[in-house]
């Protein structure tokens, strides 16, 4: 069941209410009794758990089974001639600015 945030525009009383989707919207303030109690717009909260796509593809850190980035050797790149430096690096595919 979702938790809805309510606020009274008459007295400022705020309250979080656990309601079913089918429950009617509350309109009477429990603090002052005025018919000025209304739902507030709030951000939805959720948490991704488990070992699915989030952990392997998007979560930062060392967890997951995503492939490690290819490393290039610094000394070998420095000793190549200018005609060889125009070729893409290993694993680049020509889609970056390394050449």
């Amino acid at each position: 069941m979702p938790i809805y945030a309510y606020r009274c525009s008459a007295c400022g009383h705020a309250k979080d209410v656990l309601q079913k989707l089918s429950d009617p919207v509350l309109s009477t303030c429990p603090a002052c009794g005025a018919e000025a109690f209304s739902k507030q717009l709030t951000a939805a909260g959720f948490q991704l758990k488990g070992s699915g796509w989030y952990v392997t593809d998007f979560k930062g850190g060392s967890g997951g089974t995503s492939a490690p980035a290819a490393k290039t050797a610094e000394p070998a790149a420095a000793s190549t001639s200018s005609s060889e430096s125009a070729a893409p690096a290993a694993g680049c595919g020509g889609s970056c600015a390394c050449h």
Side-chain angles (χ1 to χ4, degrees):
M1 285 193 300
I3 299 173
Y4 295 104
Y6 282 87
R7 183 174 176 91
C8 179
S9 59
C11 69
H13 177 73
K15 183 177 182 179
D16 292 339
V17 181
L18 182 67
Q19 288 183 300
K20 293 181 182 178
L21 292 172
S22 61
D23 286 347
V25 177
L26 301 178
S27 60
T28 305
C29 177
C32 69
E35 292 294 322
F37 210 47
S38 61
K39 275 187 189 179
Q40 299 295 300
L41 182 63
T42 58
F46 69 96
Q47 184 176 15
L48 298 172
K49 292 184 177 182
S51 61
W53 61 269
Y54 169 72
V55 173
T56 59
D57 295 343
F58 294 101
K59 186 176 181 182
S62 61
T65 59
S66 59
K71 293 182 180 179
T72 59
E74 284 291 323
S79 65
T80 59
S81 67
S82 62
S83 64
E84 291 176 1
S85 65
C92 167
S95 62
C96 70
C98 69
H99 55 281

